Amino acid sequence: MSGPPLEVTRLLQNPLGQPAPEGERGDIVRVSDGLRTVYLTPREFDELSEQQLRYRLAAEGRTRTGT
């Protein structure tokens, strides 16, 4: 599948939104293609292929607004 590289960031719920320590699964996974972003549970992320992630971004992603 082609397209911009996906940026995957594992986040903590406490403190809310802080990046998880290196090697930790985190509580939430943020996936972005640079234009859109989705938030998944670690389990959801593990179960999706890159193609499915890109589809989910296109269908459900929140668009980043430029300033």
Side-chain angles (χ1 to χ4, degrees), residues 4-6 31-38 57 61-66:
L6 296 180
V31 181
S32 176
D33 64 0
L35 297 173
R36 294 172 301 272
T37 303
V38 292
L57 279 165
R62 295 186 181 116
T63 304
R64 292 186 182 178
T65 56

Side-chain angles (χ1 to χ4, degrees), residues 23-44:
E24 296 292 321
R25 285 178 53 87
D27 302 309
I28 304 165
V29 181
R30 179 177 61 209
V31 181
S32 176
D33 64 0
L35 297 173
R36 294 172 301 272
T37 303
V38 292
Y39 292 86
L40 307 167
T41 66
R43 183 176 178 177
E44 287 174 314

Side-chain angles (χ1 to χ4, degrees), residues 5-61:
L6 296 180
E7 180 182 322
V8 177
T9 307
R10 294 179 180 274
L11 304 171
L12 299 173
Q13 286 184 334
N14 189 13
L16 185 60
Q18 293 297 311
E22 187 70 33
E24 296 292 321
R25 285 178 53 87
D27 302 309
I28 304 165
V29 181
R30 179 177 61 209
V31 181
S32 176
D33 64 0
L35 297 173
R36 294 172 301 272
T37 303
V38 292
Y39 292 86
L40 307 167
T41 66
R43 183 176 178 177
E44 287 174 314
F45 176 76
D46 290 344
E47 292 174 351
L48 296 174
S49 67
E50 182 178 345
Q51 182 177 4
Q52 291 168 318
L53 285 169
R54 291 185 182 280
Y55 175 80
R56 192 108 176 234
L57 279 165
E60 302 173 20

